[in-house]
Amino acid sequence: MTDPHSQPAGGAALTSGNPVFPGWYADPELHVFSGPDGERRYYIYPTGSADFTRQASFECWSSADLTDWVNHGTILDFRDVPWSTNYAAWAPSCAQSPRDGKFYFYFSAGDGAGIGVAVSDSPSGPFRDAIGLPLIRDYLHGAQPIDAHCFVDDDHQAYLYYGGHGHCVVAPLTPTMCAVHRAPREITPSPGYVEAPFMVKRRGVYYLMWSEGDWADSTYLAAYGVSDSPLGPFTYGGRILENHPDVALGAGHHSVLRLPGTEDEWVICYHRRPLGETNMHHRVTCIDRLVFRDDGSIAPVTLTHHGVPAHPATAG
Ligand code: FUB
């Protein structure tokens, strides 16, 4: 295993460090987006990981190069989402519509309240509730309506993946990004699946990733499966994130991103619990390298303290 304390090859490179920004934040979704002013930056949409009975809003962070993260403050507040609860603002996802260029923000509106969708002209918000009611309200196929993830395929079809309590479902979205085109179908990829689906396509292969175990302790981890369709079925591929006894525990609920301007360099953004932390809410947001092997499988991630080298969002 790589030494988690060693710096990446190439000398004293500027690195993100881990965690990449201060504070308790979990469930990070990492993107590169261009704002209304045309500036391309990295964005992270996390869950604010205070006690979840007090989590009633979302923030986002952005960076020019993965190292200098800026907090944009509250981007959506449950006070402006009347059908939501006043707690458990969990696990958001953001996608840019290929049709209108707007940014659509999918969020858990409280345990049991459903999944909402909000919209903004800017990736840093502010977002406003787009439809005034839950996009997904009911438990379908046993899937708890949390942990939404929006994936837009090369043909511009958007899909909404979500589901806790051991069941994963997916539904194609209409071009408005604010309604499901067909009823969600169950795609639970593995008996170990618990929550936090994330989809990425590489070289024509669909990689569904998810978290297993209990997010509140060190049984948490992440795994993946592959398919030739965004709707599965998925063949189990292996574990991606696991505890590192010298670095951190409970690593999971992640997103991955191909670095702009590269053909095949990837990073994984995830949360983990610092060693010695026993409060279940105390999770931090980190970034490390993700490596696809020559056969298309994913190598287990080495959790590090140094993170990843600076890489401009404007590359390529
Ligand atoms: O952050 C709250 C919950 O913890 C998320 O919904 C789960 O995926 C887990 O990370």
Side-chain angles (χ1 to χ4, degrees):
M1 183 181 283
T2 313
D3 177 357
H5 302 276
S6 68
Q7 288 295 311
L14 180 63
T15 57
S16 65
N18 275 327
V20 295
F21 42 68
W24 306 123
Y25 291 94
D27 315 327
E29 195 178 272
L30 172 65
H31 289 279
V32 173
F33 287 136
S34 293
D37 57 1
E39 186 188 0
R40 194 145 57 120
R41 295 176 67 82
Y42 296 96
Y43 289 85
I44 292 179
Y45 302 88
T47 295
S49 194
D51 180 336
F52 68 72
T53 61
R54 290 185 284 116
Q55 290 168 207
S57 61
F58 295 97
E59 299 171 10
C60 85
W61 296 73
S62 78
S63 166
D65 65 359
L66 295 173
T67 71
D68 59 341
W69 292 92
V70 174
N71 187 321
H72 291 272
T74 298
I75 58 171
L76 180 69
D77 194 307
F78 277 2
R79 281 179 296 199
D80 302 319
V81 185
W83 57 269
S84 70
T85 64
N86 61 356
Y87 71 102
W90 283 342
S93 176
C94 191
Q96 187 169 23
S97 163
R99 187 180 62 109
D100 62 18
K102 293 182 190 291
F103 297 88
Y104 290 86
F105 185 77
Y106 302 86
F107 58 97
S108 310
D111 194 6
I115 292 172
V117 55
V119 63
S120 177
D121 291 327
S122 165
S124 58
F127 289 85
R128 62 174 172 78
D129 187 6
I131 56 176
L133 73 177
L135 172 59
I136 305 288
R137 188 185 51 208
D138 300 321
Y139 271 64
L140 301 170
H141 306 290
Q144 182 190 20
I146 64 164
D147 291 3
H149 166 60
C150 182
F151 163 72
V152 183
D153 207 344
D154 301 331
D155 63 1
H156 292 179
Q157 175 64 54
Y159 297 87
L160 184 72
Y161 296 82
Y162 71 89
H165 289 172
H167 293 270
C168 182
V169 295
V170 63
L173 291 168
T174 66
T176 66
M177 309 281 280
C178 293
V180 293
H181 183 56
R182 280 199 303 275
R185 67 190 255 185
E186 178 156 19
I187 54 160
T188 305
S190 151
Y193 174 94
V194 173
E195 58 195 11
F198 182 84
M199 168 58 69
V200 69
K201 189 178 185 182
R202 174 184 177 269
R203 300 184 177 171
V205 177
Y206 293 87
Y207 291 77
L208 180 68
M209 306 174 175
W210 61 88
S211 295
E212 303 189 1
D214 185 343
W215 67 264
D217 62 35
S218 55
T219 59
Y220 213 47
L221 58 89
Y224 78 100
V226 294
S227 178
D228 59 7
S229 161
L231 305 176
F234 296 91
T235 303
Y236 183 78
R239 291 180 175 180
I240 316 170
L241 288 170
E242 288 190 88
N243 293 331
H244 190 310
D246 298 330
V247 180
L249 304 175
H253 201 134
H254 67 287
S255 52
V256 308
L257 179 73
R258 181 167 57 81
L259 292 175
T262 75
E263 201 163 304
D264 202 29
E265 285 181 41
W266 296 78
V267 293
I268 182 166
C269 185
Y270 62 96
H271 74 240
R272 67 194 196 193
R273 191 169 289 103
L275 295 179
E277 274 296 341
T278 51
N279 184 321
M280 67 180 187
H281 301 291
H282 287 181
R283 301 173 290 175
V284 292
T285 288
C286 299
I287 302 181
D288 276 306
R289 273 189 81 207
L290 182 84
V291 176
F292 288 89
R293 301 188 183 103
D294 290 345
D295 65 1
S297 63
I298 301 178
V301 172
T302 299
L303 312 191
T304 72
H305 292 297
H306 54 70
V308 292
H311 186 92
T314 51

